[in-house]
Amino acid sequence: MADLTTMPMAKALNAGLRKAMQDDRKVMLMGEDIGALGGVFRITEGLQAEFGRTRVLDTPLAESGIIGSAIGLAMRGYRPICEIQFDGFIYPGFDQITSQLAKMTNRHEGQVQMPVVIRVPYGGHIGAIEHHQESPEAYFAHTAGLRLVSPSTPNDAYWMIQEAVRSNDPVMFFEPKSRYWPKGEVDLAASAAPLHASRVVRSGTEVTVLAHGAMVSVLLQAAEVAAAEGTSIEVIDLRSLSPIDYGPILESVHKTGRLVVAQEAPGFVSIASEIAATVTERAFYSLQAPVLRVSGFDAPFPPAKLETLYLPDADRILDAVDRSLAY
Amino acid sequence: MAESETTVSLLSKEGALQPSESAEEFLPYFERLTEDDYRQFFTDMSVIRAFDVEATNLQRQGQLALWPPSIGQEGAQVGSARATRAQDHIFPAYREHAVAMIRGVDVLGIIELLRGHTHGGWNPAETNFHLYTLVIGSQTLHATGYAMGVNLDGACGTGNPDTDTAVLVYFGDGATSQGDVSEAFVFAASYQTPQVFFLQNNHWAISVPVSTQSRVPLYQRSRGFGVPSTQVDGNDVFASYAVTAKYLDDARSGRGPGFIEALTYRIGAHTTSDDPTKYRNSDDLAYWIERDPIARLEAYLRGLGADDAFFAGVREEATDFAADIRRRTLTLTSPSVDKMFDSVYSEPHPVLAEQKEWLERYEATYADPAAGGN
Ligand SMILES: Cc1ncc(C[n+]2csc(CCOP(=O)(O)OP(=O)(O)O)c2C)c(N)n1
Ligand SMILES: [Mg+2]
């Protein structure tokens, strides 16, 4: 039986974290300003008051310290959930994530597990200053040993954060910060899909469009406009960036013969590039047009006044849809 | 984390000249100041506070994305900045508005940065004041490397006061926890850089108190790395000046790096996005407001005979400065798309050239209704 309630993603994450902490007393939170302040986005609001300072740690200001010590805590049997304050501040922790956390299980030939979750608010659309609007997921997807996911709705956020915490591998949990506040329905009774499943969120027949995180809502907007103009678009929410669940994607492409992959991140060596290559390899004879990518430009994320030019919007998606249909 | 007898101070919180014992070695630097200098310090602090208040208002009115105020930290900033010489190089964090102004930066550049027009805002070559760095602590290593270069160039320790150069780097109490800052101390000590590390301990890193970053007074941090240090009352502009002047002199003379911890307080929010009522109490705030650097210097100047006319003049200068910033902010025009693509590399780049051209063509289809856009 569904148990439906409406809340924004920020609250859904908060509820999911609370649930994860209630379910397993080894689960703990670490990060900058996550205690009394509840994090700069208030995702952890109230959790330190509820679970105490030993389970919700306001850490010193050091990302390498946060990730590196989470590794040690995991070795000791804890399940740390680390918050990185903003996408662009993850890099001081890069060595600990990519050379240490990602490889620990492999180096131990499976004798050690790393149930560490790293939450990363990411992406643009918030008009913020430098380092606060980036999409760094490809750096991490390139590293074996890390799982990467990104919810696009409050319901997925609620369930995926709990599943991420249950994973015995490190999970990078990318939170589309521009989607923190719009409300959506959350079913507290049952999860909609497994952690690493991609999903059709709007069905259509002529072109498949695919994205993750905040870009999914842009695709849905584009699909709405296209429908009014008589074009039927199928929208897929990727949800998992590593591994990628190709089943629903290939099934959709076999049906439509056309695929547009969108992302906020720069296009060069990106998640979209990977999907384009794989779909071309596996569905070549179904494709009526080359797989097209719509991405941020291969330039640093610009000053906020230029962000609307940088970030793909519904028009840029529709432009690609038109180009795909023109083949 | 409050002051102790080792903290260097000259002006009491009531504005009386009462040098601490620990101030002795720094007194000669204070003594070379004239009453005109005192008045200049007062004007600097007053003007930048008016600027901060105006910028906060502009943010509230939707003109800026964000504003990080420096209110309460003017003593540490003005004292240290006034101790620099033209040839010295300064690496700020992101709250050193007074330092920028004193170095001659048009602080409208800071407004442009926080309005979302630019990632920079000024050309460091013009003032030797480098760009703001938002990633906590990174600039300490840049300063160290710059100072290594000064050493390699033989531009310190020659005895020539007009060319011997020091590097001054600002950072916060939160930043001291970053690995980069420890590495900067290591490199500075190893290469004996002509460099002064200037920490403004404003007691907070957003919501995290300094006690989370360190269990011992922070000025002691550098000593284990072999970098001598002094703790100063940062709300005392004279002490901040004198200690920085001595440390910069030592650095310029080739005596290696030093570290200053200036005790001060972030009177305002971390930025306009922050809500300090969630994590701190008003008693602390009251304690520090009593130690305001501007009120303290005003009391001292009045004791020396500065009259109402002087203070009214400063108020007018500050108000005019802020009004000018407001006026110029409202005339700023949005940056062009060139900002996004140009200067990513030092030479033309085929990928960016192609993407810029694509975007221009794409935008043009929307600008021209005949081309079929909407
Ligand atoms: C590497 C990094 N992590 C996190 C942040 C987010 N952040 C911005 S300011 C700040 C606190 C800085 O405190 P402090 O160094 O004391 O400087 P203050 O703001 O007090 O001047 C944090 C955590 C950042 N900018 N960079
Ligand atoms: Mg601070």
Side-chain angles (χ1 to χ4, degrees):
Chain A
M1 261 265 292
D3 176 6
L4 298 179
T5 168
T6 299
M7 63 176 91
M9 183 184 290
K11 295 266 188 256
L13 286 165
N14 182 268
L17 289 170
R18 179 177 291 103
K19 186 78 176 26
M21 295 190 77
Q22 286 164 347
D23 289 351
D24 183 347
R25 59 185 189 81
K26 293 291 188 185
V27 174
M28 54 187 291
L29 308 182
M30 318 171 60
E32 295 157 7
D33 304 288
I34 68 166
L37 187 65
V40 296
F41 293 106
R42 308 293 185 264
I43 305 302
T44 57
E45 185 142 56
L47 297 179
Q48 190 179 62
E50 189 171 336
F51 296 99
R53 289 169 173 273
T54 52
R55 288 188 68 194
V56 180
L57 272 54
D58 252 337
T59 64
L61 206 178
E63 289 74 13
S64 184
I66 293 169
I67 309 295
S69 58
I71 291 172
L73 280 157
M75 287 171 167
R76 183 74 192 176
Y78 288 87
R79 305 182 84 86
I81 307 173
C82 306
E83 175 173 305
I84 297 296
Q85 199 161 83
F86 281 91
D87 35 63
F89 303 138
I90 197 167
Y91 306 111
F94 199 78
D95 167 68
Q96 289 292 350
I97 297 172
T98 56
S99 290
Q100 308 303 327
L101 180 63
K103 296 184 168 72
M104 207 54 86
T105 297
N106 185 248
R107 290 174 58 220
H108 285 85
E109 298 182 348
Q111 289 158 346
V112 162
Q113 297 180 329
M114 281 289 123
V116 175
V117 175
I118 303 175
R119 297 182 32 242
V120 190
Y122 80 114
H125 296 289
I126 66 161
I129 52 175
E130 198 179 9
H131 316 296
H132 292 72
Q133 306 217 75
E134 298 172 7
S135 295
E137 55 271 27
Y139 288 119
F140 302 98
H142 196 66
T143 299
L146 300 174
R147 298 174 181 275
L148 270 69
V149 298
S150 181
S152 72
T153 64
N155 193 53
D156 272 349
Y158 177 75
W159 288 105
M160 287 167 75
I161 190 67
Q162 295 180 64
E163 289 171 57
V165 174
R166 280 195 294 271
S167 168
N168 286 327
D169 291 327
V171 179
M172 308 268 315
F173 196 87
F174 286 93
E175 301 173 2
K177 66 175 97 80
S178 66
R179 304 301 300 170
Y180 272 153
W181 301 109
K183 289 185 178 172
E185 211 158 65
V186 175
D187 181 353
L188 298 172
S191 143
L195 184 62
H196 291 297
S198 62
R199 205 171 63 202
V200 174
V201 291
R202 178 186 172 117
S203 43
T205 54
E206 292 171 76
V207 184
T208 305
V209 298
L210 179 166
H212 61 275
M215 192 58 72
V216 175
S217 68
V218 179
L219 298 187
L220 289 169
Q221 233 179 293
E224 201 61 40
V225 175
E229 290 169 0
T231 305
S232 171
I233 291 183
E234 179 144 301
V235 181
I236 294 181
D237 180 355
L238 194 56
R239 294 173 84 253
S240 174
L241 315 184
S242 179
I244 289 170
D245 175 18
Y246 280 104
I249 301 171
L250 293 171
E251 198 177 312
S252 179
V253 169
H254 291 315
K255 176 172 72 178
T256 62
R258 300 173 198 277
L259 177 64
V260 174
V261 189
Q263 61 188 1
E264 290 184 25
F268 188 65
V269 196
S270 62
I271 302 282
S273 310
E274 177 62 31
I275 292 172
T278 304
V279 169
T280 305
E281 283 167 4
R282 299 196 195 166
F284 187 72
Y285 289 109
S286 297
L287 287 169
Q288 308 287 322
V291 180
L292 297 180
R293 289 169 296 158
V294 184
S295 310
F297 296 102
D298 293 314
F301 197 98
K305 291 279 183 200
L306 293 171
E307 75 172 46
T308 51
L309 281 179
Y310 181 88
L311 292 166
D313 59 5
D315 285 331
R316 282 222 323 248
I317 306 296
L318 291 171
D319 175 73
V321 165
D322 287 346
R323 280 187 283 131
S324 177
L325 285 167
Y327 272 91
Chain B
M1 288 287 162
E3 60 271 30
S4 69
E5 66 265 29
T6 59
T7 311
V8 174
S9 67
L10 295 170
L11 265 189
S12 74
K13 74 174 173 18
E14 292 78 20
L17 196 58
Q18 281 169 2
S20 59
E21 257 176 55
S22 55
E24 203 183 316
E25 60 176 314
F26 303 103
L27 280 175
Y29 291 88
F30 170 63
E31 282 158 2
R32 64 191 192 194
L33 293 174
T34 66
E35 200 175 323
D36 280 349
D37 293 322
Y38 307 163
R39 289 180 179 225
Q40 181 65 57
F41 291 2
F42 184 80
T43 305
D44 290 340
M45 293 195 288
S46 305
V47 168
I48 214 67
R49 184 163 296 184
F51 169 73
D52 253 320
V53 169
E54 191 63 65
T56 303
N57 291 339
L58 284 163
Q59 196 284 334
R60 294 274 177 251
Q61 292 154 8
Q63 294 294 329
L64 305 182
L66 187 79
W67 188 255
S70 65
I71 294 171
Q73 300 178 213
E74 298 91 343
Q77 294 193 14
V78 169
S80 57
R82 284 285 169 198
T84 62
R85 294 197 186 139
Q87 71 269 24
D88 294 336
H89 280 261
I90 297 175
F91 288 78
Y94 47 79
R95 209 186 283 284
E96 283 68 42
H97 314 324
V99 183
M101 180 186 73
I102 287 168
R103 292 302 294 197
V105 172
D106 178 355
V107 292
L108 190 71
I110 308 176
I111 295 277
E112 289 177 76
L113 174 68
L114 288 147
R115 192 180 160 86
H117 283 215
T118 173
H119 290 324
W122 53 89
N123 178 1
E126 291 167 4
T127 57
N128 293 351
F129 183 80
H130 292 256
L131 294 183
Y132 275 1
T133 293
L134 305 181
V135 182
I136 300 296
S138 304
Q139 76 280 7
T140 53
L141 276 166
H142 310 160
T144 299
Y146 200 93
M148 288 163 67
V150 170
N151 247 348
L152 292 171
D153 291 344
C156 64
T158 70
N160 183 342
D162 296 327
T163 57
D164 277 351
T165 299
V167 176
L168 176 61
V169 59
Y170 290 87
F171 56 109
D173 44 292
T176 60
S177 292
Q178 285 287 6
D180 276 10
V181 175
S182 286
E183 293 176 31
F185 282 135
V186 171
F187 276 61
S190 211
Y191 294 102
Q192 287 298 290
T193 52
Q195 174 179 20
V196 178
F197 291 87
F198 194 95
L199 163 65
Q200 290 174 82
N201 176 357
N202 64 7
H203 288 77
W204 294 96
I206 311 187
S207 71
V208 180
V210 62
S211 55
T212 300
Q213 317 290 348
S214 183
R215 297 297 285 262
V216 298
L218 276 166
Y219 75 92
Q220 296 177 8
R221 174 75 59 87
S222 69
R223 294 184 178 175
F225 292 100
V227 177
S229 63
T230 295
Q231 186 183 60
V232 62
D233 177 351
N235 284 12
D236 174 346
V237 68
F238 291 162
S240 297
Y241 170 85
V243 171
T244 313
K246 174 168 192 318
Y247 270 77
L248 285 171
D249 252 16
D250 285 353
R252 286 188 214 100
S253 324
R255 287 195 281 274
F259 173 40
I260 300 167
E261 179 195 6
L263 290 176
T264 181
Y265 199 76
R266 199 193 75 208
I267 295 297
H270 170 68
T271 65
T272 44
S273 300
D274 179 37
D275 175 11
T277 62
K278 290 208 172 260
Y279 56 81
R280 71 182 189 186
N281 67 39
S282 47
D283 296 354
D284 270 9
L285 195 58
Y287 173 93
W288 286 98
I289 285 173
E290 258 184 39
R291 285 158 181 74
D292 184 75
I294 302 182
R296 195 188 292 206
L297 184 56
E298 173 166 347
Y300 181 66
L301 286 172
R302 284 195 187 273
L304 292 182
D307 57 9
D308 288 344
F310 166 72
F311 292 106
V314 172
R315 252 196 316 280
E316 192 181 321
E317 183 175 340
T319 310
D320 288 352
F321 188 89
D324 181 59
I325 287 292
R326 160 170 292 270
R327 187 184 53 72
R328 290 161 70 211
T329 300
L330 299 179
T331 61
L332 288 172
T333 51
S334 272
S336 87
V337 64
D338 299 348
K339 266 238 157 86
M340 187 150 74
F341 294 106
D342 297 355
S343 311
V344 176
Y345 300 90
S346 59
E347 287 175 12
H349 188 282
V351 174
L352 289 173
E354 191 186 311
Q355 293 186 0
K356 181 178 175 183
E357 201 192 302
W358 179 87
L359 180 60
E360 279 165 356
R361 242 185 305 118
Y362 174 80
E363 286 291 302
T365 62
Y366 284 86
D368 174 9
N374 49 10

